[in-house]
């Protein structure tokens, strides 16, 4: 049981390049999330998904797109990278809240460190 | 989601109990109190959560005041590995768990 796995761990992009960050979870979680963390700041939600084929915007969605084609995977795309997107990106997953299972904690990956020059 | 307020930093001696306070005076009746921590360069790690009763697990204890306006996370016997940033978060009982992270408390455990 690997939990939440993020690839790649590190990446350097030039302004205008595109890339996709992959998040995979093996816990059969319904919900998945993408956060970014900048120096001295807390985590900010970019996009999230409550199930396969569905996505929604979070706090800072501009410049990013996401897809959830399979339940276990959540992809974060940068179509045209900008220096402002230099950050550490964290993926997380959790069970769906139900009457008998409120508040399943989020499980986080160990991050992707992205630098845009 | 209710806003939470935490001290920016705290120190604790190794082997002693670390008590981390959190103020959430605007918390509503359908919001839990969650605690996560982030050890340098790693993803946040879930510690514990509670609604109105005190809670304890293998990692920590959570004490919530009767009026629910504040809480304290207790690490009973702090070790050097407990050095991390600790986040206190209030979030609704149901729905997608869009945790809103504040600045947290940077806890340093000293030998």
């Amino acid at each position: 049981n690997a939990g939440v796995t993020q690839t790649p761990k590190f990446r350097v992009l030039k302004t205008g390049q595109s890339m996709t960050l992959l998040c995979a979870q093996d816990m059969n979680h319904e919900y998945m999330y993408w956060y970014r963390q900048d120096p001295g700041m807390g985590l900010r939600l970019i996009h999230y998904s409550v199930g396969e084929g569905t996505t929604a915007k979070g706090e800072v969605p501009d410049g990013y797109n996401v897809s959830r084609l399979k339940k276990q995977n959540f992809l974060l795309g940068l179509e045209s990278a900008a220096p402002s997107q230099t950050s550490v990106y964290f993926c997380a997953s959790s069970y769906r809240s139900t009457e008998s299972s409120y508040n399943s904690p989020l499980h986080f990956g160990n991050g992707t460190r992205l630098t845009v020059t | 989601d209710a806003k939470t307020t935490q001290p920016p930093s705290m120190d604790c001696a190794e082997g002693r109990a670390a008590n981390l306070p959190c103020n959430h005076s605007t918390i509503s009746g359908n919001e839990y109190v969650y605690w996560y921590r982030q050890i340098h360069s790693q993803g946040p790690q879930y510690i514990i959560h509670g609604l109105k009763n005190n809670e304890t697990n293998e990692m920590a204890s959570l004490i919530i005041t009767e009026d629910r306006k504040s809480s304290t996370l207790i690490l009973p016997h702090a070790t050097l590995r407990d050095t991390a940033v600790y986040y206190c978060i209030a979030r609704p009982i149901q729905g997608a768990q869009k945790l809103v992270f504040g600045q947290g408390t940077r806890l340093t455990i000293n030998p």
Side-chain angles (χ1 to χ4, degrees):
Chain A
N1 190 338
V4 178
T5 304
Q6 294 184 234
T7 53
K9 290 184 171 53
F10 303 92
R11 185 71 185 268
V12 178
L13 287 180
K14 293 184 178 179
T15 298
Q17 287 184 318
S18 63
M19 78 162 294
T20 300
L21 282 67
L22 171 64
C23 176
Q25 53 94 4
D26 60 1
M27 296 172 283
N28 203 32
H29 286 168
E30 291 85 3
Y31 293 173
M32 297 188 74
Y33 315 78
W34 275 107
Y35 286 86
R36 62 176 287 175
Q37 185 173 36
D38 302 299
M41 298 182 69
L43 282 79
R44 293 182 292 169
L45 182 65
I46 305 171
H47 286 280
Y48 65 100
S49 168
V50 299
E52 186 177 323
T54 69
T55 63
K57 294 181 180 179
E59 186 184 357
V60 289
D62 295 340
Y64 305 95
N65 57 75
V66 287
S67 65
R68 182 103 181 266
L69 299 180
K70 293 182 178 181
K71 185 177 184 179
Q72 63 268 33
N73 296 335
F74 196 27
L75 306 179
L76 179 71
L78 287 73
E79 290 186 348
S80 179
S84 61
Q85 294 177 304
T86 293
S87 188
V88 181
Y89 292 85
F90 289 100
C91 177
S93 68
S94 69
Y95 285 114
R96 178 174 61 88
S97 297
T98 65
E99 283 189 11
S100 60
S101 177
Y102 290 145
N103 292 288
S104 166
L106 268 67
H107 296 258
F108 284 83
N110 279 325
T112 293
R113 285 150 184 80
L114 175 66
T115 302
V116 183
T117 62
Chain B
D1 297 357
K3 178 180 169 59
T4 62
T5 304
Q6 301 175 252
S9 64
M10 293 182 63
D11 285 87
C12 180
E14 187 178 18
R16 305 295 294 268
N19 297 284
L20 291 88
C22 179
N23 181 287
H24 32 79
S25 57
T26 61
I27 197 169
S28 65
N30 70 341
E31 288 183 308
Y32 275 81
V33 177
Y34 267 78
W35 284 85
Y36 283 78
R37 73 180 182 183
Q38 188 173 23
I39 297 169
H40 181 62
S41 298
Q42 297 181 19
Q45 177 189 23
Y46 165 77
I47 301 173
I48 198 168
H49 72 278
L51 186 60
K52 52 186 176 182
N53 298 321
N54 297 337
E55 302 287 346
T56 295
N57 63 21
E58 65 278 4
M59 290 182 67
S61 294
L62 174 61
I63 309 298
I64 303 174
T65 58
E66 192 168 343
D67 62 8
R68 301 188 69 243
K69 293 186 176 183
S70 65
S71 61
T72 301
L73 178 74
I74 301 172
L75 307 178
H77 305 287
T79 71
L80 298 179
R81 289 176 295 179
D82 292 322
T83 293
V85 178
Y86 287 76
Y87 296 99
C88 169
I89 301 164
R91 65 160 297 277
I93 288 176
Q94 289 184 301
Q97 298 190 19
K98 298 175 288 180
L99 297 179
V100 178
F101 287 79
Q103 297 297 308
T105 295
R106 182 171 298 278
L107 175 67
T108 302
I109 306 301
N110 300 307

